[in-house]
Amino acid sequence: MTRFLNDDFLLDTGEARRLFHEVARDLPIIDYHNHLPPAEIAEDLHWSELGTLWLGHDHYKWRVMRWAGIEERLVTGDADPRDKFDAFARAMPRMIGNPVHHWSHLELWRYFDLDGTVLSAETADRVWDVTRERLAQPDFGAQGLLTRMKVELVGTTDDPLDTLEHHAALRGAPWRVVPTFRPDPAVKIDAAGFSDWVARLEAATHPIRGFDDLVGALETRLDHFVAHGCRAADHGIDRLDAGAEVAGATLDAALDAARAGRAVAADDAASWRAALFVALGRAYARRGLVMQLHVNALRNTRTRLLDAAGRDAGADSIRDIAVAEPLNALLDRLDRTEELPRMVIYGLDPTRNPAIVTTAGNFQDGSVPGKVQAGTAWWFNDQLDGMEDQIRTLSQMGLISTFLGMLTDSRSFLSFPRHEYFRRLFCRIVGRWQVEGHVPDAPDMLDALVRDVCYRNARDWFAAPGAD
């Protein structure tokens, strides 16, 4: 019988074992997209117990706890952290088959040296005591946790109005924490809060009387981000639509209506979004930044949970709508004038992987290897089948050698073993290719492929020397 999460977990060939243990395992981590709070890193926040550290931000864990029958008070409510931890421990045996079961044990084993301990109601006391003892040590704060996992770069996700004071405070740290420009509030002209956010942008920059003024204000904030080491922008695009190209006067009228509290017609809102994506894409291209698109999420769908726990509490789904036509239209508008930035496209609907990969292939122009990327399997798909499907599609319809590899997309400081999870799977895939004769029996070439996908490609895009 094979031991649970043993040293050769997922590594089912000798070739895979060699690739992981000799090549991938000890590579540094470039986590170019996550949601870690930069203030907690700058302050080197320490936690006294695992309940808050583990369950305070992690909506992956919240979802499976609810599914296991745990009441909300013990998930996001006001229960004591120990009670929440005990509830999670009781539910753990029910999570078999879900990636949270693997991730949680990897987190316990890699950070707290609890190798072989399987979390359950029976082992909860021991896990609680061992982790409390470890967390009391000086090097187990936010910064120590990053160092322990060999993290070289953390790309946080930040509102354009953020002062970035915490990023400034971290300059000179042994790892880099860089901001990522996330201007979703400016794009969502038909959403609640748009007018208030634009007023705050105006106060921070200059008067905004029309579309061009708003773009200029966003570029002012973008330059502030670049001065603080920003290497990328990110857009959460719940629904991507092509949007007709319209005159500036139409965009100005839409802005006037939204700021006055009047409804913006659906067609005008679509045109606004399309125009702003193009304007910002051009701004990113001029500054050498990467433009990331996260598409097809259906967010905050459960009203009662939204009212009780707020946004991003784990009531989100895959949005099953087509992306190929609007995505090609957006990229073409940028490419026509040779102002297409390097781009990463993450799709939440796995059935759209071929559409995203083939769209990326349309806009390779020879200037940069993999200039337009099909991003790693995201959110509901960063499990074994989802990642393998994304890798297989990219390999057969594009070039896996230019792939940027894994990221955590996480709010948890304990999520970095997900890189190990990905690396083990990738080495299994490449090892099988080698055994089955799908690739040459050329260890140096395959070693280079693994290093590129697991580390070097992302390093070169997001953490190259002199990037900031």
Side-chain angles (χ1 to χ4, degrees), residues 201-233:
L201 176 65
E202 186 174 52
T205 54
H206 58 235
I208 297 175
R209 300 185 180 90
F211 178 80
D212 289 341
D213 293 331
L214 184 134
V215 171
L218 288 171
E219 291 200 48
T220 296
R221 297 305 302 163
L222 182 59
D223 288 334
H224 176 66
F225 272 58
V226 171
H228 285 76
C230 174
R231 299 298 302 145

Side-chain angles (χ1 to χ4, degrees), residues 396-452:
Q396 296 178 2
M397 298 183 181
L399 286 182
I400 193 65
S401 58
T402 65
F403 183 36
L404 295 175
M406 188 57 172
L407 50 84
T408 64
D409 192 27
S410 175
R411 294 168 173 80
S412 171
F413 282 91
L414 296 183
S415 64
F416 290 96
R418 295 183 197 176
H419 283 265
E420 176 188 337
Y421 201 60
F422 169 86
R423 289 171 179 181
R424 286 178 176 272
L425 175 64
F426 189 67
C427 290
R428 181 177 77 175
I429 292 169
V430 177
R432 286 180 178 178
W433 287 347
Q434 188 176 5
V435 168
E436 295 167 0
H438 289 294
V439 298
D441 187 17
D444 289 348
M445 182 183 70
L446 300 180
D447 290 0
L449 173 65
V450 168
R451 287 192 183 96
D452 286 345

Side-chain angles (χ1 to χ4, degrees), residues 6 19 39 55 61 77 112 114 133 135 194 202 225 252 262 309 399 431 440 443 446 452:
N6 67 86
L19 285 167
L55 302 171
K61 292 184 174 73
F112 301 103
L114 281 162
E133 181 180 342
L135 289 169
F194 172 83
E202 186 174 52
F225 272 58
D252 294 345
R262 300 192 304 272
L399 286 182
L446 300 180
D452 286 345

Side-chain angles (χ1 to χ4, degrees), residues 162-176:
D162 196 299
T163 63
L164 305 183
E165 60 191 278
H166 303 298
H167 296 84
L170 287 164
R171 281 198 182 269
W175 17 254
R176 295 169 60 192

